[in-house]
Amino acid sequence: MDTFNELINGDKPVLVDFFATWCGPCHMQSPILEQVKQRIGDAATIIKIDVDKNPQLAGQYQIRGVPTLMIFKNGAVKWRQSGVFPANELERLLKENI
């Protein structure tokens, strides 16, 4: 939990993918996140949070459905969306926050 808080409070944007192993759309989102990571490199951090293994974190951010994607920077939520999201849009959103 400390490392999560340290990450989201940094000045580098962090894309958090709240997912579940049993979630079909979450499996579709994974390769999209890989693409985004390859495109933006170290300019942003991408982490995945399993809601079943981290229920208090999911509760803290009121995650009602998976996948839910959130972008944090300096501890603030800059963007949030549920459902599968395309790589181009995620890349654009992250670059806006760099």
Side-chain angles (χ1 to χ4, degrees):
M1 191 77 119
D2 285 342
T3 43
F4 178 80
N5 286 330
E6 286 167 21
L7 273 174
I8 66 167
N9 283 299
D11 58 0
K12 184 158 65 166
V14 179
L15 173 62
V16 181
D17 173 22
F18 288 94
F19 78 102
T21 54
W22 46 262
C23 158
C26 297
H27 293 285
M28 292 166 50
Q29 188 69 62
S30 268
I32 294 170
L33 293 176
E34 289 296 322
Q35 278 182 354
V36 173
K37 182 63 182 161
Q38 287 173 357
R39 291 182 196 170
I40 60 165
D42 292 334
T45 304
I46 299 175
I47 59 173
K48 295 172 71 68
I49 302 288
D50 185 331
V51 295
D52 293 326
K53 292 181 181 165
N54 300 282
Q56 66 201 92
L57 204 53
Q60 181 180 340
Y61 291 102
Q62 300 174 350
I63 305 301
R64 303 274 180 257
V66 286
T68 293
L69 301 167
M70 297 176 76
I71 295 175
F72 292 88
K73 186 173 180 183
N74 298 320
V77 176
K78 297 293 186 180
W79 176 84
R80 176 184 179 136
Q81 178 78 41
S82 293
V84 176
F85 215 71
N88 290 344
E89 284 296 302
L90 289 172
E91 185 180 1
R92 181 184 61 75
L93 287 161
L94 284 167
K95 284 183 174 172
E96 282 176 8
N97 286 290
I98 289 173

